[in-house]
Amino acid sequence: MSESTHPLTYQRDLRGLTRVDLADLIRAAARRRGLRSGVDKQRIRKWEVLGVMPDAANQIYIAEALDLPIELVEPDTWPHWLPLSDGGVVPFGSSSSVTALREALKTAMDPQRRAVLALSGSALTALAGSWAGGAQPATLVTHLSDGTLVGDDTVTMLEDSVRRLNALATDQRQHFAALMDAHLTTVTNLIGHGRYDRTTGLRLHLLASTLAQTVAWHRFDHGRHTAAGQLWIAALHSAHATNDTDLGAAMLGDLAYQAAWRRDQRHSGKPPPTRPRPNRAPGGTLPPPPPSRPHPRRAR
């Protein structure tokens, strides 16, 4: 993991902290417990650049220094318990589609650990404004790394599988939730580590967006709203990478529906109403939404 992509570097930069600043905060966290810490900027550089793992106590001090919930700390998973987003929302960037997908998968797969991170309404609004303002798409639609070549047959198989799963009735699709999760993980890994041309990259990002949207509705139906929101955000990033404005508008429409639904539930206290959800096969089109949820195109 490079310094520029290390979660600790991201969190430190997000707060405008130098390594000296962070070291001071870590030592202060130790002092509040009547302990001493020898952390300095050189130690932090080892964590960020050389892959050295801080001990469990220092990881707790890091969380406290960054004002993160202590419940997030899982020493054995360092540095992956550190969020790669601001307010639960990954901003658009050159590799934001993979970052957003990985953050969403972390949340979706581990409700106890990641549900403590609530989505920030202001961060969501900023993301929508950035999208509507014409943020530059990610550059991952062409990925000529040293990774394994992603063949046409691989992508076609995934597209066919997702198309068949999305064609199932909602109650039957619930039986394949784990398979949809696995497909989304596979596509995320192919985008992040595979080698492919522009056409294949576009197909992979469309697959990621479609899968993330479907998995988001599954989490929504089970009351996992933080996970659902992050999955829709990931779907928006992947749609943005393909420059598909209609698909991106659909994801913002889903986020808007969720926000309105949660507001109504807080006010009424009633159980959730039965709600149709969109089906979109790779390369297909969204059906007209029911009157109860925002029309995707109006999200623009």
Side-chain angles (χ1 to χ4, degrees):
M1 182 178 296
S2 68
E3 178 184 356
S4 62
T5 60
H6 197 286
L8 183 57
T9 306
Y10 176 85
Q11 286 292 326
R12 183 169 56 76
D13 290 346
L14 191 64
R15 292 159 175 79
L17 298 173
T18 66
R19 288 180 178 142
V20 172
D21 296 333
L22 181 57
D24 288 343
L25 291 170
I26 290 172
R27 291 195 299 270
R31 285 196 300 271
R32 284 192 289 272
R33 291 168 170 78
L35 302 171
R36 295 184 63 184
S37 171
V39 171
D40 55 17
K41 66 177 184 179
Q42 287 79 17
R43 180 83 60 87
I44 292 174
R45 183 180 183 279
K46 290 180 180 179
W47 295 341
E48 293 180 343
V49 180
L50 302 181
V52 175
M53 177 186 291
D55 61 28
N58 273 319
Q59 291 191 43
I60 291 173
Y61 303 156
I62 288 169
E64 187 171 313
L66 296 173
D67 197 26
L68 293 171
I70 299 299
E71 293 85 352
L72 283 180
V73 179
E74 290 187 358
D76 292 341
T77 67
W78 172 269
H80 302 294
W81 61 261
L82 285 164
L84 276 168
S85 59
D86 179 15
V89 179
V90 176
F92 290 115
S94 62
S95 60
S96 63
S97 58
V98 173
T99 301
L101 285 164
R102 287 176 175 161
E103 278 292 281
L105 284 167
K106 288 178 186 177
T107 308
M109 301 303 179
D110 193 343
Q112 284 73 36
R113 178 165 65 96
R114 305 293 297 190
V116 297
L117 289 178
L119 293 175
S120 162
S122 60
L124 277 172
T125 301
L127 184 75
S130 177
W131 175 84
Q136 285 296 109
T139 58
L140 285 176
V141 290
T142 301
H143 200 230
L144 302 176
S145 69
D146 294 330
T148 303
L149 179 67
V150 181
D152 181 74
D153 289 346
T154 297
V155 182
T156 299
M157 186 276 291
L158 287 166
E159 289 171 340
D160 290 344
S161 178
V162 172
R163 187 177 292 110
R164 292 179 66 183
L165 287 168
N166 273 336
L168 294 172
T170 299
D171 60 336
Q172 294 303 306
R173 198 184 307 155
Q174 302 293 317
H175 300 309
F176 295 94
L179 182 57
M180 297 293 280
D181 290 349
H183 276 6
L184 181 57
T185 301
T186 297
V187 172
T188 299
N189 289 335
L190 290 175
I191 293 173
H193 302 298
R195 178 164 52 91
Y196 44 82
D197 58 18
R198 177 180 175 80
T199 300
T200 302
L202 289 169
R203 291 169 68 190
L204 287 171
H205 278 83
L206 180 56
L207 265 172
S209 187
T210 303
L211 279 163
Q213 184 186 35
T214 302
V215 175
W217 280 116
H218 176 265
R219 295 308 192 275
F220 178 96
D221 288 339
H222 287 78
R224 299 276 308 285
H225 291 290
T226 298
Q230 288 193 332
L231 284 158
W232 278 314
I233 290 167
L236 175 63
H237 278 268
S238 293
H240 187 63
T242 71
N243 205 27
D244 188 332
T245 54
D246 285 342
L247 184 56
M251 303 313 160
L252 289 175
D254 289 347
L255 284 162
Y257 175 89
Q258 181 192 39
W261 183 92
R262 297 189 73 182
R263 179 198 61 208
D264 292 345
Q265 294 306 303
R266 283 195 298 269
H267 292 329
S268 68
K270 296 178 180 179
T274 301
R275 172 205 42 77
R277 82 283 316 283
N279 286 315
R280 179 185 176 113
T285 58
L286 284 164
S292 60
R293 66 183 285 266
H295 195 292
R297 292 174 187 263
R298 290 179 189 165
R300 295 190 227 179

